């Protein structure tokens, strides 16, 4: 009897195939795992392709945007310079002509590709005024005589000259002139404080990125190469220059007495020689 009980206990405590079955992958399970791996590989490949395709599209669209932007700029310049015909650099422009010219310049300003035009190295050098609504002598007129106005910037030295030539020759009409005037000045990045003594400040950020404070120092006039007049400006006589468009060939400046938008003069210029 005891032997029989021991035999029954041994049978109950010995693992059987019904309760102990090693995990042996079936063919169905293996096939599913292989298919899953293939699916994951295809998904990774598809994602890599999508990313590469997206990068190509972004580059294409960026290049296309630059091309279209360049085309818009070129066409706007062409229309603008055609509208300047017969206006004597703005001095004889009618009110309606000025309105049209200003609208085209505003359009060009909206296409400016630079976020910090006043800090761009292309600011350096000579610029010939093709249009301005500023009064003499900034518009190239001295007393009764009309000539050309030229701005010459020295970026490294922080200097600036406003030059006027009457009766000159050459591409810039500044050679062998019989009458000329030069305004010497210095420039620095504007700190945003209005120049009217009010203590007010402009609201846009990083004023120096687009705007200079130009301090006038001396005006000299020469006749046939001989100096006939010199005037020293009162200390602190200054203006603001806001650069609103700049590229290799063209520059637009809004020159203000205080830095406020309601008292600025508009200058449209081409690169000089």
């Amino acid at each position: 009897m005891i032997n029989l009980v021991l035999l029954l206990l041994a049978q109950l405590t010995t693992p059987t195939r019904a309760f102990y079955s090693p995990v042996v992958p079936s063919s169905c399970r293996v096939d599913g795992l292989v298919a899953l791996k293939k699916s994951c590989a295809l998904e990774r490949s598809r994602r890599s392709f999508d990313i590469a395709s997206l990068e190509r599209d972004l580059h294409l669209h960026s290049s296309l945007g630059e091309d279209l932007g360049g085309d818009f700029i070129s066409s706007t310049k062409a229309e603008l310079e055609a509208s300047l015909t017969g206006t004597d650099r703005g001095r004889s422009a009618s009110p309606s002509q000025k309105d049209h010219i200003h609208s085209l310049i505003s359009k060009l300003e909206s296409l400016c590709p630079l976020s910090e035009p006043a800090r761009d190295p292309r600011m350096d050098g000579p610029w010939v005024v093709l249009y301005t609504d500023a009064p003499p002598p900034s518009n190239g007129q001295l007393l009764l005589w009309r000539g050309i106005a030229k701005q010459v910037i020295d970026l490294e030295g922080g200097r600036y000259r406003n030059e006027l030539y009457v009766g000159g020759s050459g591409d810039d009409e500044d050679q062998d002139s019989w009458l000329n005037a030069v305004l010497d000045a210095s420039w620095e990045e504007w700190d945003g404080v209005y120049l009217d003594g009010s203590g007010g400040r402009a609201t846009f950020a990083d004023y120096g990125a687009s705007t200079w404070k130009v301090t006038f120092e001396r005006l000299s006039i020469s006749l046939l190469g001989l100096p006939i007049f010199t005037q020293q400006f009162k200390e602190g006589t200054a203006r603001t220059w806001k650069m609103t468009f700049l590229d290799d060939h063209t520059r637009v400046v809004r020159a203000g007495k205080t830095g406020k938008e309601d008292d600025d003069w508009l200058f449209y210029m081409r690169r000089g020689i």
Side-chain angles (χ1 to χ4, degrees):
M1 183 66 178
I2 294 173
N3 291 335
L4 179 61
V5 171
L6 292 175
L7 179 62
L8 289 173
L9 288 174
Q11 289 291 328
L12 289 173
T13 58
T14 300
T16 65
R17 290 187 180 274
F19 296 100
Y20 176 75
S21 176
V23 179
V24 178
S26 67
S27 61
C28 179
R29 187 175 299 167
V30 171
D31 291 343
L33 182 60
V34 171
L36 178 61
K37 289 182 177 179
K38 288 183 178 179
S39 175
C40 290
L42 287 172
E43 178 65 16
R44 287 195 297 269
S45 176
R46 184 187 67 79
R47 289 181 180 177
S48 298
F49 175 79
D50 288 346
I51 292 172
S53 178
L54 177 60
E55 289 175 345
R56 286 195 298 271
D57 288 345
L58 288 173
H59 177 73
L60 176 61
H61 290 159
S62 176
S63 300
L64 181 60
E66 290 176 1
D67 291 342
L68 289 175
D71 289 342
F72 282 133
I73 289 172
S74 296
S75 62
T76 302
K77 285 185 186 180
E79 185 179 359
L80 174 55
E81 291 178 18
S83 72
L84 298 180
T85 303
T87 66
D88 190 24
R89 303 177 188 269
R91 290 178 293 232
S92 61
S94 67
S96 61
Q97 285 177 310
K98 286 184 178 181
D99 288 342
H100 181 56
I101 292 168
H102 286 210
S103 68
L104 291 173
I105 292 178
S106 294
K107 180 180 177 182
L108 184 63
E109 290 172 321
S110 71
L111 298 172
C112 181
L114 305 175
S115 60
E116 299 183 347
R119 295 171 178 154
D120 194 283
R122 288 173 292 184
M123 287 285 295
D124 194 63
W127 296 90
V128 177
V129 177
L130 298 181
Y131 172 84
T132 182
D133 59 349
S138 297
N139 65 355
Q141 181 173 335
L142 187 60
L143 300 177
L144 301 176
W145 299 284
R146 294 181 175 184
I148 67 106
K150 192 172 184 178
Q151 297 181 357
V152 182
I153 296 170
D154 177 5
L155 276 184
E156 185 176 353
R159 304 292 302 172
Y160 150 75
R161 292 196 317 274
N162 193 15
E163 303 175 347
L164 184 154
Y165 299 92
V166 177
S169 59
D171 292 335
D172 287 354
E173 299 181 43
D174 59 349
Q175 300 175 19
D176 304 318
S177 61
W178 61 270
L179 179 65
N180 69 286
V182 177
L183 187 154
D184 288 297
S186 63
W187 66 265
E188 60 184 324
E189 289 194 359
W190 187 40
D191 61 4
V193 177
Y194 293 133
L195 306 183
D196 59 2
S198 66
R201 184 181 291 271
T203 56
F204 59 91
D206 197 3
Y207 319 103
S210 64
T211 309
W212 289 352
K213 177 183 175 182
V214 178
T215 302
F216 295 166
E217 298 175 354
R218 180 178 58 257
L219 174 66
S220 303
I221 300 175
S222 299
L223 177 65
L224 300 176
L226 300 174
I228 60 172
F229 176 81
T230 300
Q231 175 190 343
Q232 298 290 334
F233 285 93
K234 181 181 177 181
E235 185 176 355
T237 302
R239 300 290 184 267
T240 58
W241 273 12
K242 185 174 183 179
M243 271 55 77
T244 54
F245 183 89
L246 177 68
D247 64 13
D248 292 341
H249 311 290
T250 304
R251 179 167 150 257
V252 178
V253 174
R254 292 183 178 268
K257 186 176 181 180
T258 65
K260 298 179 180 179
E261 295 182 358
D262 58 357
D263 64 4
D264 57 17
W265 303 104
L266 191 56
F267 290 82
Y268 175 78
M269 291 166 278
R270 68 162 174 82
R271 170 73 66 184
I273 297 174

